[in-house]
Amino acid sequence: MELNLNDDKRNVNGRLEVTDNMKENLLTATKWIKFLNIIGSVGTGFYAFAGFGFFFYGIMSDDHNAGASIQGLVFLAVAAIYYPMLKRTFTFIKQARSACKFDDNEEFAGMFDSLKFVVRYCGILTVIVLVLLAITLTALILSEFFRAIALT
């Protein structure tokens, strides 16, 4: 029998059960997710700090180093782009712990919404980075190709 996810009828024979073992595994996973999220938050903080440092160095230096200012803005943009994922991951952890501790279905549903957001956000960022890498690699290959033609 195939389960139709669009069917709102509650006459499904097997309902999903969350066992104590599943809760323990989820709570163990949230500990590791929290650790990784803290590392990501510290890294993002360093990125933002470095971004401000480069930006103000570029503005205040005697030669008005525009390259450092642009690099600082790029660092700040990367930190700003990464922040929503970190914030939502902390929300996921809080909801997972609350759902397991108090058997709260609303927190359980919210946990999966947060997980969906984080995974989608991470996926979109991955696609963007891969496209940028492909464009960079293509530009590098073409520039070397045209340089070789110009030298002959």
Side-chain angles (χ1 to χ4, degrees):
M1 180 177 151
E2 185 174 313
L3 179 63
N4 184 3
L5 296 176
N6 295 324
D7 189 13
D8 287 337
K9 296 178 184 174
R10 300 291 180 198
N11 59 3
V12 178
N13 290 337
R15 296 207 30 110
L16 180 66
E17 276 187 48
V18 180
T19 64
D20 288 338
N21 189 29
M22 291 176 180
K23 290 178 188 178
E24 288 176 22
N25 289 336
L26 182 60
L27 290 174
T28 301
T30 59
K31 290 176 186 175
W32 284 103
I33 293 169
K34 184 176 182 180
F35 170 74
L36 293 173
N37 208 35
I38 290 170
I39 298 296
S41 297
V42 169
T44 301
F46 283 141
Y47 240 67
F49 184 73
F52 281 119
F54 281 124
F55 179 73
F56 287 119
Y57 170 75
I59 291 174
M60 294 181 183
S61 66
D62 290 336
D63 58 351
H64 298 292
N65 191 350
S69 293
I70 292 171
Q71 185 178 10
L73 290 176
V74 169
F75 274 41
L76 288 172
V78 168
I81 288 170
Y82 199 63
Y83 175 75
M85 189 169 60
L86 292 171
K87 185 174 182 335
R88 197 66 181 257
T89 304
F90 276 122
T91 303
F92 165 78
I93 294 166
K94 181 185 77 69
Q95 290 170 328
R97 288 183 177 172
S98 176
C100 290
K101 189 174 186 180
F102 302 114
D103 288 332
D104 188 352
N105 284 332
E106 288 180 23
E107 289 287 335
F108 198 64
M111 177 195 73
F112 281 107
D113 286 340
S114 295
L115 182 62
K116 176 184 164 187
F117 175 85
V118 169
V119 170
R120 183 181 345 145
Y121 199 87
C122 188
I124 290 169
L125 288 178
T126 302
V127 168
I128 291 170
V129 167
L130 289 175
V131 167
L132 291 174
L133 286 173
I135 290 170
T136 304
L137 186 61
T138 303
L140 178 69
I141 291 170
L142 288 176
S143 68
E144 286 299 314
F145 176 73
F146 288 124
R147 188 178 72 86
I149 289 175
L151 291 177
T152 58

